[in-house]
Amino acid sequence: MAKPNLALVGATGAVGTVMIDIINNRPNIWGEIRLIASARSAGKKIVVHGQELTVVELTPESFDGMDIAMFDVPDEVSEIWAPIAASRGAVAVDNSGAFRMDPEVPLVVPEVNPEQARNRPKGIISNPNCTTLTMMAALGALHRGWTLTELVVSSYQAVSGAGVSGMERLRHEISAVAGTNAGEASDDVLKTLEAAGLGLDDSPFANPVALNVIPFAGSLKAGGFSSEEMKVRDESRKILGIPELKVAVTCVRVPVLVSHSLAVHATFANSLTVADVHKALNEEPTVRLVDDPVNGLWPTPSLVAGQDPTFVGRVRQSLDFPNSIEMFVVGDNLRKGAALNTYEIAELVASEF
């Protein structure tokens, strides 16, 4: 049986670079692998599974002969090109937000709803937002056993969620405040940054992020909510198949380069204990339980960065809320939160060939 051919659109971008690393470190199940990017990046050489490949320009013809096309590009690019890839015969697996809430496009997390990958009338499968994905493998396991009814989440999101510019901004701000007394008085961090030529006009964030937390991530939506908060609510409902799930979310940007963290309060229809949660999560191959507070062991971004699994700790049975569990969940937002889940969806589709 012939191996399916794989295209990667956005091969030279931040997430695309992580995707190349993931491809190189997983079994080679592919026939041809084709790397696609903008005209500006065409001609670059990248080694994939020991073979030097030349990046080709994004055109309709670049999808010819491809069975699966992964998209690691902005929404506006996916919106145009994912349907083109599908029209040329490739299943488009899209990491952008362009199609996530389209009722004719499945939103897939392989640990939770793999069957939905076959339900693709438009030839497109969507990958969830990185914040939603951080907790979804763990929540999916608990929902299967005890039926999730309510979800309250506070996120602590790394600056890499805002792209390369977010990471560069934090590094520059750290350099500017290092060795100073900034952070001890009102607005002295901002004044220090401005004195170093780092005004907010050039920042992807509305406030200083070094020595600070920003209680907002994304763009402003109705009712004062952010786009990130709405994504967590809407996508959780779709992935878990619970249209009426009660969800409350606050998304916060923190001075961390990589890995999103979530404080999760989850309520279930049936009673469960910490031991139940530990057992269920230990049985999930892509979840790592790090929950030994006596010895100071719990997930942190610095522990998790660069790793594929979802890490869970601080599991507690709520004192005042029946059938409720508190836990702290951390995942690398560039890997499981973006590239890895996209690739795992592609692997699901590849199994059909």
Side-chain angles (χ1 to χ4, degrees), residues 247-323:
V247 183
V249 190
T250 300
C251 289
V252 179
R253 192 73 70 186
V254 297
V256 167
L257 284 171
V258 176
S259 295
H260 289 351
S261 305
L262 279 70
V264 176
H265 171 100
T267 299
F268 299 86
N270 304 292
S271 62
L272 72 170
T273 65
V274 169
D276 291 330
V277 174
H278 280 187
K279 183 175 185 298
L281 297 184
N282 275 323
E283 291 172 354
E284 280 295 309
T286 63
V287 174
R288 297 289 180 272
L289 191 66
V290 182
D291 195 17
D292 184 6
V294 171
N295 292 302
L297 297 176
W298 38 60
T300 66
S302 62
L303 166 71
V304 172
Q307 299 198 62
D308 289 343
T310 297
F311 287 73
V312 182
R314 296 296 322 279
V315 179
R316 291 147 288 150
Q317 204 165 12
S318 295
L319 296 176
D320 300 317
F321 299 91
N323 300 353

Side-chain angles (χ1 to χ4, degrees), residues 129-135 152-158 213-218 226-230 232 248-256 259-265 301 327-330 333:
N129 173 263
C130 55
T131 313
T132 309
L133 267 172
T134 298
M135 63 181 171
V152 180
V153 179
S154 293
S155 73
Y156 308 86
Q157 297 182 213
V213 297
I214 304 171
F216 191 87
S226 76
S227 57
E228 288 285 302
E229 290 158 353
M230 296 306 298
V232 172
V249 190
T250 300
C251 289
V252 179
R253 192 73 70 186
V254 297
V256 167
S259 295
H260 289 351
S261 305
L262 279 70
V264 176
H265 171 100
M327 58 186 180
F328 196 70
V329 186
V330 186
N333 56 298

Side-chain angles (χ1 to χ4, degrees), residues 36-51:
I36 303 173
S38 66
R40 183 178 63 254
S41 297
K44 288 186 176 180
K45 308 288 186 180
I46 298 176
V47 176
V48 182
H49 284 301
Q51 182 180 1

Side-chain angles (χ1 to χ4, degrees), residues 22-347:
I22 289 169
I23 293 173
N24 281 330
N25 285 283
R26 291 171 83 91
N28 187 3
I29 61 172
W30 309 106
E32 179 186 351
I33 296 177
R34 186 175 298 169
L35 306 181
I36 303 173
S38 66
R40 183 178 63 254
S41 297
K44 288 186 176 180
K45 308 288 186 180
I46 298 176
V47 176
V48 182
H49 284 301
Q51 182 180 1
E52 187 177 73
L53 303 180
T54 301
V55 177
V56 302
E57 182 180 352
L58 177 60
T59 65
E61 292 74 23
S62 62
F63 298 104
D64 290 349
M66 296 293 102
D67 299 299
I68 301 166
M70 299 187 300
F71 284 78
D72 287 316
V73 293
D75 292 14
E76 59 272 18
V77 178
S78 285
E79 200 168 316
I80 295 169
W81 288 97
I84 291 174
S87 73
R88 309 290 284 209
V91 176
V93 183
D94 181 38
N95 186 39
S96 83
F99 303 99
R100 287 176 186 150
M101 298 315 298
D102 186 324
E104 294 188 286
V105 175
L107 188 62
V108 173
V109 180
E111 299 96 324
V112 181
N113 61 343
E115 72 286 347
Q116 289 299 316
R118 293 177 178 267
N119 179 27
R120 46 178 193 262
K122 291 186 174 181
I124 301 171
I125 303 170
S126 203
N127 189 59
N129 173 263
C130 55
T131 313
T132 309
L133 267 172
T134 298
M135 63 181 171
M136 203 44 60
L139 278 182
L142 299 180
H143 175 56
R144 283 194 297 273
W146 292 275
T147 308
L148 184 68
T149 59
E150 298 178 13
L151 184 61
V152 180
V153 179
S154 293
S155 73
Y156 308 86
Q157 297 182 213
V159 296
S160 52
V164 172
S165 63
M167 299 177 75
E168 290 177 347
R169 178 70 190 194
L170 177 56
R171 289 190 176 105
H172 291 325
E173 289 192 9
I174 289 173
S175 296
V177 301
T180 74
N181 293 324
E184 296 180 355
S186 176
D187 271 348
D188 63 353
V189 173
L190 177 58
K191 293 171 184 175
T192 301
L193 296 180
E194 289 176 338
L198 293 171
L200 295 179
D201 289 345
D202 299 322
S203 174
F205 308 113
N207 311 93
V209 67
L211 305 179
N212 204 17
V213 297
I214 304 171
F216 191 87
S219 56
L220 186 62
K221 299 298 180 182
F225 294 97
S226 76
S227 57
E228 288 285 302
E229 290 158 353
M230 296 306 298
K231 288 173 186 176
V232 172
R233 176 179 181 264
D234 297 340
E235 293 177 17
S236 295
R237 289 175 162 189
K238 184 174 181 178
I239 296 163
L240 294 168
I242 316 172
E244 303 303 320
L245 179 67
K246 295 179 179 179
V247 183
V249 190
T250 300
C251 289
V252 179
R253 192 73 70 186
V254 297
V256 167
L257 284 171
V258 176
S259 295
H260 289 351
S261 305
L262 279 70
V264 176
H265 171 100
T267 299
F268 299 86
N270 304 292
S271 62
L272 72 170
T273 65
V274 169
D276 291 330
V277 174
H278 280 187
K279 183 175 185 298
L281 297 184
N282 275 323
E283 291 172 354
E284 280 295 309
T286 63
V287 174
R288 297 289 180 272
L289 191 66
V290 182
D291 195 17
D292 184 6
V294 171
N295 292 302
L297 297 176
W298 38 60
T300 66
S302 62
L303 166 71
V304 172
Q307 299 198 62
D308 289 343
T310 297
F311 287 73
V312 182
R314 296 296 322 279
V315 179
R316 291 147 288 150
Q317 204 165 12
S318 295
L319 296 176
D320 300 317
F321 299 91
N323 300 353
S324 297
I325 288 292
E326 323 279 357
M327 58 186 180
F328 196 70
V329 186
V330 186
D332 185 320
N333 56 298
L334 300 179
R335 295 187 74 85
K336 182 58 178 177
L340 177 60
N341 199 75
T342 303
Y343 188 75
E344 288 172 335
I345 296 170
E347 287 179 323

